[in-house]
Amino acid sequence: MTEPNGTSNSTDNTSTARSSESNPADDEFTVTPYAVDGTVDYAKLLERFGADPLTDDQIDRFPDQPMLRRRTFYAGRDADRYLEAVESDEPHAIVTGRGPSGPMHLGHVLPLYLAKRFQQATGATVYVPLSDDEKFLAKEQSFESIGAYTRENLRDILAVGFDPERTRIVVDTADSDVIYPIAVRLAKHLTPATVDAVYGQQDTVGLQFYPAVQATHLLLPQLVAGRQPTLVPVAVDQDPHVRVCRDVAAKDALPVEKPGALLGRFLPSLDGPGKMSSSGDAPSIELTADPETVAETIRTHAYTGGRATLEEHREHGGDPAVDVPFQYLRFFFENDDERLERIAADYRSGDLLSGELKEIAIDRITGFLTAHQQRRSKLGSLEEALEPYRLTEQERRRALERAGVPSGLES
Amino acid sequence: MTEPNGTSNSTDNTSTARSSESNPADDEFTVTPYAVDGTVDYAKLLERFGADPLTDDQIDRFPDQPMLRRRTFYAGRDADRYLEAVESDEPHAIVTGRGPSGPMHLGHVLPLYLAKRFQQATGATVYVPLSDDEKFLAKEQSFESIGAYTRENLRDILAVGFDPERTRIVVDTADSDVIYPIAVRLAKHLTPATVDAVYGQQDTVGLQFYPAVQATHLLLPQLVAGRQPTLVPVAVDQDPHVRVCRDVAAKDALPVEKPGALLGRFLPSLDGPGKMSSSGDAPSIELTADPETVAETIRTHAYTGGRATLEEHREHGGDPAVDVPFQYLRFFFENDDERLERIAADYRSGDLLSGELKEIAIDRITGFLTAHQQRRSKLGSLEEALEPYRLTEQERRRALERAGVPSGLES
């Protein structure tokens, strides 16, 4: 950890300047419990939304996972209800979706791995809805294009390795036989004024209707398998969806509990704080990227917390709180707290250079992606691979029955 | 036709007064081409909607049917396009739907019998969509209640006796696997402002979205079986649905023609001019009514064009133009023009009394209903009876393919 930062480049220098501006008090950073981010005031968001920060006790009771332990997921709604079901061995569910308008990148898959961990640790049922309808409506893309991304995204979701007995993957257009009638029922309680207030004015009646579809996603585990606590791990900006669903569920006489939420911070964009985006300027690391591309992308584009010169860095140390490679390790890719603390300490002391820190992140991320890609490459036919994860006929019928929707035309 | 009006009652007297008020010039009435109605200005409606009155030439070219011959369907959009396809033996389709929020009555079934006539005469494909979603959203009824009416309505639709080879019956919730994805595609072109302008402000996002579903209904024959002229026979107040669909179809690159329309007058309510309603105060004749109920209802409630006293009637004659029993005969239940003209002449001359005219209508209507009910009683299991009229898997796939919607999850 004492080698000079051979790959330090202009991006690093630029980022250092930005780092100093947005985080004048570097030494306030600790790995846990709270990360600092210059652009989002996560505490204020909670106040605005009326959600609760997770307590130490709650964190202890959840399955151990770096995103919870380090409070990337830092707040919740009705988290205790979920934990009580876990502890008394009662059914409980996770819903974590995907909008298939492009290739999936690291930021998209982390909640899925969280859900997988919950499933393995406590037997949680996991629902993964894909909102191809919403993406078609919201984007300048054809249905053909959205369909192609849907199929690619499904491969990535399947590669996570969920238990097919306890996981259902739903695609809005392909499963509209069950999604649409339930959404209609919920839409009876959803006014244009509410949608406008929560999401802003929508351009089309399709997007106005979509929150009813989203609410359907969040209630689906309970409609299929009966009343149970359902937790929705989402980036904090997705919380409005959860609140709309809770409101609608409260107005309806459906036999369901209001879904709870786990609210998360954004995985920072490679070139600095903010939400990782696959459509913005910052390059994203796609799940199908090969190791060379990952290494090259991180070496070239990752925003670091290093100093402008080697001498300065050795003397004053770097700032892990704004260093994106470090943040990637902290979010997910370095599970060992002691090792992570040591890396942070070495970086702060100046013993570890930005380029060296990048190489550690490259190593962990490519290791993760290689395993993911190996599972992905073994899937074979998508149709066959997906089949055990699709709703069965009986499950569809039960969901419609619980929603009180005429499910068939039997007399 | 010279017997005194033994069943004349207070309703007749009341109705006579109203008749004189709204139709001072009784003698302007003729059986064809135009019926007069005090409450609806049908010509003005056409101007407002921008549709064209049917020409004599067009009427001649349509299959002979009393509702066309007597111009109950009196206007159209793109009627020539449809007639050209008929005459060159090319595929052509009719779409005529039903909103299942109550039992079906005479007014509801007449467009279906028109469609059946077209099917028998020229081989038209007939699509009958049931908008249980819209009725659930628009009415103070549960989905269970709408579902029960849907099943009853389906029996009446099946009793019409369509050719299963050329007829498809679609229920929005039960066929949402094909309806919803196509509606989403169309909804991308439908703004909240357009829906507000055409339908007025809607209470829920469900009703805001519904016009996209309705547009899907009207395009479905072409999406299933390829581009072809499609005619939608509807009461003139339903024309906005057709116009919205035409606008949306024009904005989209779908491989379809804009659907045309046949616009009709309302079957008058039993107690006087206006639209027959199953939810208003006027009693309606349900398709399942037994002959005694039909007779009793018409005798007690039918608004007539008779005079206040027998002597006055014999001297001045009655007014068939406002006489509801006569209008029922004219709309549909007396197919023979000469016989209808003779009834009108006898009524105008005073030879035929209101009670006698009622008995003629009762005879024709009960004859029609008995045949309908006999077919209905032979259906057996609804599921089995409906099966040959449902979209096949191949038809569903083709419709989604033509709409460019990812129809499956095959890679």
Side-chain angles (χ1 to χ4, degrees):
Chain A
M1 302 286 183
T2 52
E3 308 229 316
N5 182 350
T7 61
S8 185
N9 57 27
S10 64
T11 305
D12 284 6
N13 296 338
T14 312
S15 66
T16 305
R18 285 163 60 190
S19 158
S20 308
E21 275 167 33
S22 58
N23 281 282
D26 285 4
D27 55 359
E28 282 175 16
F29 173 74
T30 53
V31 174
T32 55
Y34 296 103
V36 179
D37 189 304
T39 55
V40 180
D41 187 331
Y42 287 106
K44 238 183 209 157
L45 277 176
L46 288 199
E47 267 177 52
R48 192 189 307 159
F49 292 164
D52 309 307
L54 292 176
T55 63
D56 289 348
D57 171 63
Q58 286 172 326
I59 298 276
D60 284 346
R61 292 160 69 200
F62 273 111
D64 184 48
Q65 212 264 2
M67 281 184 279
L68 267 167
R69 202 184 331 130
R70 296 172 191 155
R71 285 185 158 79
T72 296
F73 285 97
Y74 73 110
R77 293 180 183 280
D78 289 346
D80 278 328
R81 222 2 239 120
Y82 179 88
L83 290 167
E84 283 156 21
V86 167
E87 284 154 4
S88 53
D89 219 16
E90 285 164 13
H92 52 282
I94 299 282
V95 180
T96 176
R98 163 76 187 140
S101 61
M104 285 178 75
H105 57 60
L106 285 180
H108 298 135
V109 87
L110 297 190
L112 294 169
Y113 277 91
L114 177 77
K116 180 188 176 188
R117 168 72 183 132
F118 279 23
Q119 180 170 76
Q120 287 177 331
T122 72
T125 299
V126 174
Y127 271 66
V128 186
L130 279 82
S131 55
D132 58 344
D133 49 353
E134 191 260 346
K135 287 304 168 194
F136 167 73
L137 289 163
K139 302 278 179 182
E140 293 288 327
Q141 282 187 46
S142 68
F143 244 140
E144 286 84 349
S145 162
I146 297 289
Y149 284 128
T150 299
R151 291 187 288 277
E152 284 304 308
N153 288 186
L154 282 167
R155 290 187 172 276
D156 280 314
I157 293 162
L158 290 167
V160 172
F162 290 108
D163 172 5
E165 293 289 313
R166 296 178 179 275
T167 306
R168 289 295 173 264
I169 300 173
V170 175
V171 177
D172 285 343
T173 61
D175 294 302
S176 47
D177 59 328
V178 59
I179 298 282
Y180 176 67
I182 299 172
V184 167
R185 166 149 183 173
L186 299 178
K188 196 166 182 172
H189 304 285
L190 200 50
T191 65
T194 299
V195 170
D196 285 358
V198 174
Y199 300 95
Q201 291 244 332
Q202 301 296 314
D203 290 341
T204 70
V205 296
L207 286 171
Q208 280 190 305
F209 181 71
Y210 179 70
V213 174
Q214 180 102 342
T216 302
H217 294 158
L218 305 190
L219 299 180
L220 207 49
Q222 299 189 70
L223 291 172
V224 167
R227 199 185 282 269
Q228 59 189 286
T230 305
L231 215 51
V232 186
V234 284
V236 66
D237 64 333
Q238 301 295 305
D239 186 55
H241 289 299
V242 181
R243 281 180 294 145
V244 164
C245 180
R246 290 167 64 90
D247 287 352
V248 165
K251 280 184 195 156
D252 203 299
L254 282 171
V256 293
E257 297 187 8
K258 290 197 273 185
L262 268 184
L263 302 175
R265 301 168 208 273
F266 310 127
L267 183 68
S269 165
L270 259 192
D271 64 357
K275 188 178 173 183
M276 192 179 203
S277 160
S278 47
S279 49
D281 290 327
S284 303
I285 296 171
E286 294 181 10
L287 297 179
T288 51
D290 59 41
E292 292 70 35
T293 306
V294 172
E296 177 61 19
T297 304
I298 291 177
R299 284 178 195 139
T300 311
H301 295 285
Y303 176 91
T304 79
R307 297 285 173 169
T309 65
L310 181 59
E311 292 66 32
E312 268 188 79
H313 192 86
R314 290 285 186 216
E315 191 180 335
H316 301 291
D319 179 8
V322 297
D323 188 281
V324 172
F326 180 79
Q327 289 301 319
Y328 277 36
L329 295 173
R330 198 187 68 83
F331 264 68
F332 183 74
F333 296 100
E334 177 51 72
N335 186 32
D336 187 311
D337 285 349
E338 279 185 31
R339 239 182 295 169
L340 189 72
E341 282 288 7
R342 202 174 329 121
I343 291 167
D346 287 347
Y347 198 52
R348 274 194 295 264
S349 74
D351 286 348
L352 186 69
L353 300 180
S354 292
E356 293 167 327
L357 183 45
K358 281 181 173 178
E359 295 305 317
I360 298 171
I362 289 166
D363 177 66
R364 299 296 192 283
I365 292 170
T366 53
F368 167 82
L369 285 181
T370 301
H372 180 85
Q373 290 164 7
Q374 273 172 0
R375 289 189 298 270
R376 194 184 199 276
S377 69
K378 287 189 190 135
L379 292 174
S381 144
L382 175 59
E383 206 174 1
E384 283 170 34
L386 189 62
E387 188 53 35
Y389 292 93
R390 297 199 68 187
L391 290 167
T392 65
E393 277 312 309
Q394 196 184 40
E395 287 168 341
R396 287 168 204 268
R397 222 169 15 246
R398 281 192 189 150
L400 292 168
E401 273 167 22
R402 279 209 182 78
V405 178
S407 63
L409 302 169
E410 307 83 11
S411 38
Chain B
M1 303 283 182
T2 52
E3 310 228 313
N5 184 347
T7 60
S8 183
N9 57 28
S10 64
T11 305
D12 285 6
N13 296 338
T14 313
S15 66
T16 306
R18 285 165 58 190
S19 159
S20 308
E21 275 168 32
S22 58
N23 279 284
D26 286 3
D27 55 2
E28 283 176 16
F29 172 73
T30 53
V31 173
T32 54
Y34 297 102
V36 178
D37 189 305
T39 55
V40 181
D41 187 331
Y42 286 106
K44 237 182 210 158
L45 277 176
L46 288 199
E47 268 177 52
R48 194 189 304 160
F49 291 163
D52 308 307
L54 293 177
T55 65
D56 289 348
D57 172 64
Q58 287 172 325
I59 298 277
D60 285 346
R61 292 159 68 200
F62 274 111
D64 184 47
Q65 212 264 3
M67 280 184 280
L68 267 167
R69 201 182 331 129
R70 297 172 190 155
R71 286 187 157 79
T72 297
F73 285 98
Y74 73 110
R77 293 178 182 281
D78 289 346
D80 277 328
R81 226 355 244 122
Y82 179 88
L83 290 167
E84 283 155 20
V86 167
E87 284 154 6
S88 54
D89 220 18
E90 283 164 14
H92 52 283
I94 300 282
V95 180
T96 175
R98 163 75 189 140
S101 61
M104 285 177 76
H105 58 60
L106 286 180
H108 298 135
V109 86
L110 297 190
L112 294 169
Y113 277 91
L114 177 78
K116 181 188 174 186
R117 168 72 183 133
F118 280 22
Q119 180 169 78
Q120 286 176 333
T122 72
T125 299
V126 174
Y127 271 67
V128 186
L130 279 83
S131 55
D132 59 342
D133 49 352
E134 190 260 346
K135 288 303 169 192
F136 167 74
L137 289 163
K139 302 279 179 180
E140 292 286 326
Q141 283 185 46
S142 69
F143 245 140
E144 285 85 349
S145 162
I146 296 289
Y149 283 128
T150 299
R151 290 188 288 277
E152 285 304 308
N153 288 185
L154 282 167
R155 290 187 171 276
D156 280 314
I157 293 162
L158 290 168
V160 172
F162 290 108
D163 172 6
E165 292 292 312
R166 295 176 180 276
T167 307
R168 289 294 173 264
I169 299 173
V170 176
V171 177
D172 284 343
T173 60
D175 294 302
S176 47
D177 59 329
V178 60
I179 298 283
Y180 176 67
I182 298 172
V184 166
R185 166 149 181 175
L186 299 178
K188 195 166 182 173
H189 303 285
L190 199 49
T191 64
T194 299
V195 171
D196 285 357
V198 175
Y199 301 93
Q201 290 245 332
Q202 301 296 314
D203 289 341
T204 69
V205 296
L207 286 171
Q208 280 190 305
F209 181 70
Y210 179 70
V213 173
Q214 181 103 342
T216 302
H217 294 159
L218 305 190
L219 299 180
L220 206 48
Q222 299 189 71
L223 292 172
V224 167
R227 199 184 283 270
Q228 60 189 285
T230 306
L231 214 52
V232 186
V234 283
V236 65
D237 64 332
Q238 302 295 304
D239 185 56
H241 288 300
V242 180
R243 282 180 293 144
V244 164
C245 179
R246 289 167 65 88
D247 288 353
V248 165
K251 280 183 196 157
D252 203 298
L254 282 171
V256 294
E257 300 187 7
K258 289 197 273 185
L262 269 185
L263 301 175
R265 300 168 209 273
F266 309 126
L267 183 68
S269 164
L270 260 193
D271 64 356
K275 186 177 172 184
M276 193 180 203
S277 160
S278 47
S279 50
D281 290 328
S284 304
I285 297 172
E286 294 180 11
L287 297 179
T288 51
D290 58 41
E292 294 71 35
T293 305
V294 172
E296 176 62 19
T297 304
I298 290 177
R299 286 177 194 141
T300 311
H301 295 286
Y303 177 88
T304 81
R307 297 284 172 170
T309 65
L310 181 59
E311 291 67 33
E312 268 190 78
H313 191 85
R314 290 287 186 214
E315 192 181 332
H316 301 291
D319 178 8
V322 298
D323 189 283
V324 172
F326 180 80
Q327 289 301 319
Y328 278 36
L329 294 172
R330 199 187 68 84
F331 264 67
F332 183 74
F333 296 100
E334 177 50 74
N335 186 32
D336 186 312
D337 284 349
E338 281 185 30
R339 238 181 294 169
L340 189 72
E341 281 289 7
R342 202 174 328 121
I343 291 168
D346 288 347
Y347 197 53
R348 273 194 295 263
S349 73
D351 287 347
L352 186 67
L353 300 180
S354 293
E356 294 166 327
L357 182 46
K358 281 181 173 178
E359 295 304 315
I360 297 170
I362 289 167
D363 178 65
R364 299 294 193 284
I365 291 171
T366 53
F368 166 82
L369 286 182
T370 302
H372 180 85
Q373 289 164 8
Q374 272 171 2
R375 289 191 297 271
R376 194 183 199 276
S377 69
K378 287 188 190 136
L379 292 174
S381 143
L382 175 61
E383 206 173 0
E384 282 170 34
L386 188 64
E387 189 52 35
Y389 294 94
R390 298 199 68 187
L391 291 168
T392 64
E393 276 313 307
Q394 197 185 38
E395 287 168 341
R396 287 168 203 268
R397 223 172 10 250
R398 280 192 189 150
L400 292 169
E401 272 167 23
R402 279 210 180 77
V405 177
S407 64
L409 302 168
E410 307 82 12
S411 39

